[in-house]
């Protein structure tokens, strides 16, 4: 009885690291959420689908009452996208996904007061539920710091194919290279007005507050051309078509490339 009571009151309780137990524990903690659920996933985490399903159920059941933030370590360049199976949550004010280059471990924070932590160790994966205010507070502060520097997952951005995708990537190359609008427009053989319109829409899509930040986020998310990633502008950086007109096929049905 003493051991059972001690286990219930423990600030750190070990959890079997197998996927079934981890997901069941995550479900129990998420069910206790009143204000917020913050999750971070390691690169190519095997637990993501299970936890994503719990988050979807939470938002569907509780609406915007609980804020949900998902932080993912960057996977292969160009593959970081808002998860398609959560696409219907993309417009919800309470739900947000960001991508970071910082290496992460799988972790779940509920209301900033309890945490499920999973870490790979030399003897295999280890998992635990932590309720110690000092430990949870410190770890959640680190989560918030990484979150603030992470880039929004560009799942709702449709770069398109062919000339459309290439044109947008070359604009991103110009932003990453720090080109002024006049020079970028001249390089792409489009009018200043057209170039600035696309830049403005790119900034909104990437959640950037400046051209410099848009260039950095494009690099972080693997959205540049190979030449742009290498820090040089490709030769013949010219879009097809006449000045003032975007490449054929660039405009969508609503007149925007997004």
């Amino acid at each position: 009885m003493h051991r059972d009571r001690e286990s219930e009151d423990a600030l750190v309780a070990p959890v079997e690291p197998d996927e079934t137990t981890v997901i069941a524990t995550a479900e129990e903690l998420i069910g206790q959420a009143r204000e917020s659920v913050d999750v971070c996933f390691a690169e190519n985490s095997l637990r993501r689908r299970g936890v994503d399903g719990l988050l979807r159920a939470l938002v569907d059941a509780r609406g915007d009452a609980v804020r949900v933030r998902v932080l993912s370590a960057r996977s292969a360049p160009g593959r970081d996208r808002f998860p398609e199976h959560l696409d219907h949550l993309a417009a919800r004010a309470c739900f947000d996904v960001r991508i970071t280059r910082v290496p992460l471990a799988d972790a779940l924070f509920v209301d900033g007061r309890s945490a499920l932590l999973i870490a790979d160790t030399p003897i295999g994966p280890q998992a635990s539920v932590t309720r110690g205010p000092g430990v949870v507070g410190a770890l959640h502060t680190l989560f918030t710091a990484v979150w603030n520097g992470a880039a929004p997952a560009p799942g709702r951005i449709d770069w398109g194919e062919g000339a459309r995708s290439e044109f947008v990537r070359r604009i991103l190359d110009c932003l990453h290279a720090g080109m002024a609008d006049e020079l970028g427009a001249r390089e792409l053989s489009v009018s200043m007005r057209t170039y600035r319109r696309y830049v403005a829409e790119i900034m909104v899509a990437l959640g950037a507050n400046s051209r410099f930040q848009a260039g950095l986020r494009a690099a972080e998310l693997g959205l540049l051309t190979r030449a742009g990633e290498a820090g040089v502008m490709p030769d013949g950086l010219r879009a097809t078509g006449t000045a003032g007109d975007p490449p054929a096929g660039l405009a969508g049905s609503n007149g925007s490339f997004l």
Side-chain angles (χ1 to χ4, degrees), residues 5-64:
R5 186 167 57 252
E6 187 178 53
S7 176
E8 292 176 359
D9 296 337
L11 295 180
V12 180
V15 174
E16 289 298 324
D18 62 278
E19 185 174 350
T20 300
T21 304
V22 167
I23 297 301
T25 304
E27 182 176 16
E28 179 182 355
L29 290 175
I30 290 174
Q32 300 169 3
R34 295 293 176 267
E35 299 173 0
S36 65
V37 174
D38 294 323
V39 185
C40 56
F41 291 110
E43 182 178 351
N44 301 318
S45 171
L46 299 176
R47 306 173 184 91
R48 170 147 202 166
R49 279 278 180 170
V51 175
D52 277 352
L54 298 176
L55 299 177
R56 182 175 62 245
L58 173 68
V59 175
D60 289 343
R62 306 276 294 280
D64 293 340

Side-chain angles (χ1 to χ4, degrees), residues 6 15 25 31 41 90 97 99 103 112 124 144 146 221 237 243 251:
E6 187 178 53
V15 174
T25 304
F41 291 110
V97 179
I99 308 297
T144 301
V146 177
L221 295 169
L237 186 59

Side-chain angles (χ1 to χ4, degrees), residues 139-162:
L139 292 174
H140 195 246
T141 297
L142 290 175
F143 171 92
T144 301
V146 177
W147 174 268
N148 289 338
R156 298 181 295 280
I157 303 174
D158 180 13
W159 299 127
E161 301 294 338

Side-chain angles (χ1 to χ4, degrees), residues 13 15 25 30 62 106 125 135 154 162 196 198 209:
V15 174
T25 304
I30 290 174
R62 306 276 294 280
D106 287 350
V135 175
R196 284 179 172 170
Y198 277 92
N209 297 319

Side-chain angles (χ1 to χ4, degrees), residues 7-8 64 85 105 114 118 131 154 171 175 195-196 198 205 211 215 227 234 237 255:
S7 176
E8 292 176 359
D64 293 340
H85 55 284
S114 59
I118 304 99
R131 292 186 172 86
I171 291 178
L175 295 176
Y195 182 84
R196 284 179 172 170
Y198 277 92
R211 286 157 169 72
L237 186 59

